[in-house]
Amino acid sequence: MNLHFTFSIREISEVRDSDQVLKIPMYFTVEWEENRLVVDEGHRSWDDDSTGPKDENTEEAETLKHLWRPNLEIYGLEDFHNHKILGEMAGLRITKTKFIKYDTKVTIEISCQMDFNQYPFDKHTCTFQVGSYFYNKNSMTCSSQYFDPSAESDFLERNLQHHVKFQNLSENRKVVRLTSGEYAACGFEVLLKRKHEPLVYQVYIPCILFVTVSWISFIIDPKVVPGRMSLLVILFLVIINVFNNVKASAPAAASSRLNAIDRFIVTCIFSIFSTIIEYAIVLSILTLRPGRESERHYSLSNGGNEDIKPKFWHKIFVIIENPRILDAISIITFSSGFILFNLHYWFIADYDKKLIN
């Protein structure tokens, strides 16, 4: 026996990252042949098209209780809700060729295995699979078709955090292997791609600005301790708060590793913290170096002999003599390193290869 399914999808109404659940409103139709029916082909009702096409007779949905019907299973089903107003929104049609069509309006919730290790660049493939509960693929087969709501001219996409696309069920998912046997499955796949653009304005750009502002401290005179230190401490506390807020709102990853946005913010935190450490070193040099009256003067000059290079510890004493050199080196080093990190993060790193759907 073959079951034919038709899925008239209305939209993806909700994606719950916390529960890893998809909510799909649709018109669910299943059709099968019932050769045991006795049909009066000469009855005038076959020519009546007031309630449907000719050669089809419309019955109340409750009539299905008196007929044989297949036991169906939707794999990964969380909830199956039939819509009702005065009665159940469902219909039954019996064709002249002994086919039974049952159609109902439902909202289905299915589980979807999601991997958030690359959040907010994560992509997911969720499968909707339906088949027979009792009969394996040798006893019952199926076929299906779906109607993509985005193909309609008046379709308005719901404001979700994902871009949604539909595609046919891949070949390796048309058979469900269980301990009790192999079962034929039909359905479709839902491709989810997260919209990361809002986080660019809410998180990424502010973090980049915080790090950039921290470089201004290299220009401030180290002797102005309150101004320079207060700037760095405030930036450090603010970006820590940003990290906590993002961590609280982001979906939890299956592993203990940091996701993509966490790695970016942690890098920004480390950059600002390194700026604080650099200033602490500069302050230590200013505070602990010997007084002017007792200190020795060192020069990189070699007395006109150009073949002799100054020793390393001579250079160290030059930095001790003038800590502003360390600020000049740091502003070049820190900015170059952060620019290289962003080039790798945004243009080189391939997040698709790391995704597990």
Side-chain angles (χ1 to χ4, degrees), residues 57-65 88 90-93 102:
N57 192 21
T58 303
E59 303 289 342
E60 293 293 333
E62 288 75 10
T63 306
L64 186 64
K65 298 178 181 179
E88 184 177 332
L92 180 68
R93 287 181 179 175
Y102 179 75

Side-chain angles (χ1 to χ4, degrees), residues 193-206:
K193 181 180 179 182
R194 191 177 300 277
K195 301 174 182 176
H196 63 268
E197 292 81 4
L199 290 174
V200 171
Y201 301 103
Q202 298 170 6
V203 177
Y204 285 103
I205 291 180

Side-chain angles (χ1 to χ4, degrees), residues 115-120 243 246-247 250-267 269 345 351 354:
D115 183 8
F116 302 109
N117 285 327
Q118 301 305 323
Y119 173 87
F243 176 76
V246 170
K247 198 68 177 175
S255 66
S256 58
R257 296 183 303 169
L258 296 175
N259 57 38
I261 194 170
D262 290 341
R263 293 195 295 269
F264 185 89
I265 302 177
V266 167
T267 302
I269 292 173
Y345 187 90
Y351 299 102
K354 301 176 183 178

Side-chain angles (χ1 to χ4, degrees), residues 25-302:
M26 70 168 73
Y27 291 97
F28 183 90
T29 304
V30 57
E31 178 182 357
W32 67 93
E33 185 179 10
E34 179 54 272
N35 290 318
R36 292 172 294 183
L37 287 176
V38 178
V39 175
D40 183 2
E41 298 183 357
H43 198 276
R44 63 178 184 273
S45 61
W46 299 118
D47 297 323
D48 185 10
D49 58 356
S50 59
T51 59
K54 290 185 178 181
D55 295 333
E56 291 188 6
N57 192 21
T58 303
E59 303 289 342
E60 293 293 333
E62 288 75 10
T63 306
L64 186 64
K65 298 178 181 179
H66 305 288
L67 301 173
W68 179 89
R69 53 194 183 275
N71 293 90
L72 302 180
E73 178 178 5
I74 298 177
Y75 299 97
L77 180 66
E78 295 287 335
D79 185 49
F80 189 93
H81 174 67
N82 289 90
H83 293 267
K84 297 180 180 180
I85 300 179
L86 298 178
E88 184 177 332
M89 298 177 65
L92 180 68
R93 287 181 179 175
I94 301 176
T95 68
K96 195 174 182 178
T97 55
K98 299 184 180 180
F99 278 89
I100 299 176
K101 298 180 181 178
Y102 179 75
D103 179 87
T104 180
K105 184 177 182 180
V106 297
T107 297
I108 301 175
E109 292 186 11
I110 58 171
S111 63
C112 176
Q113 294 183 354
M114 300 180 181
D115 183 8
F116 302 109
N117 285 327
Q118 301 305 323
Y119 173 87
F121 306 104
D122 50 322
K123 299 178 183 179
H124 313 284
T125 301
C126 304
T127 58
F128 178 87
Q129 297 170 291
V130 58
S132 174
Y133 185 81
F134 287 119
Y135 301 101
N136 61 27
K137 65 178 184 179
N138 298 321
S139 302
M140 186 168 289
T141 60
C142 67
S143 58
S144 66
Q145 61 179 347
Y146 74 91
F147 293 96
D148 190 342
S150 60
E152 301 179 5
S153 58
D154 58 344
F155 173 71
L156 294 177
E157 186 177 4
R158 189 182 288 263
N159 186 20
L160 299 174
Q161 294 183 2
H162 302 79
H163 298 287
V164 180
K165 290 185 179 180
F166 298 90
Q167 67 180 21
N168 291 319
L169 202 64
S170 55
E171 290 296 326
N172 62 329
R173 298 183 184 275
K174 290 183 178 180
V175 176
V176 177
R177 295 173 176 82
L178 303 174
T179 55
S180 57
E182 297 183 350
Y183 299 84
C186 291
F188 54 89
E189 295 180 352
V190 183
L191 306 180
L192 302 176
K193 181 180 179 182
R194 191 177 300 277
K195 301 174 182 176
H196 63 268
E197 292 81 4
L199 290 174
V200 171
Y201 301 103
Q202 298 170 6
V203 177
Y204 285 103
I205 291 180
C207 287
I208 292 173
L209 292 178
F210 293 152
V211 174
T212 305
V213 170
S214 70
W215 300 337
I216 297 177
S217 66
F218 297 129
I219 305 173
I220 301 175
D221 189 346
K223 297 179 181 179
V224 185
V225 178
R228 186 162 172 174
M229 183 58 74
S230 61
L231 172 65
L232 294 177
V233 171
I234 289 173
L235 290 175
F236 185 73
L237 294 177
V238 169
I239 202 167
I240 288 290
N241 187 56
V242 171
F243 176 76
N244 291 333
N245 290 336
V246 170
K247 198 68 177 175
S249 60
S255 66
S256 58
R257 296 183 303 169
L258 296 175
N259 57 38
I261 194 170
D262 290 341
R263 293 195 295 269
F264 185 89
I265 302 177
V266 167
T267 302
C268 294
I269 292 173
F270 178 77
S271 179
I272 296 176
F273 180 74
S274 299
T275 307
I276 297 176
I277 295 299
E278 188 273 345
Y279 183 47
I281 295 174
V282 171
L283 279 181
S284 299
I285 293 174
L286 291 175
T287 305
L288 302 177
R289 69 181 180 181
R292 292 287 182 180
E293 63 281 358
S294 60
E295 66 184 21
R296 295 178 59 184
H297 295 279
Y298 297 89
S299 175
L300 293 179
S301 175
N302 52 30

Side-chain angles (χ1 to χ4, degrees), residues 5-18:
F5 299 95
T6 302
F7 312 107
S8 299
I9 307 166
R10 306 311 304 160
E11 62 176 346
I12 300 296
S13 61
E14 186 179 0
V15 179
R16 295 203 302 271
D17 290 335
S18 57

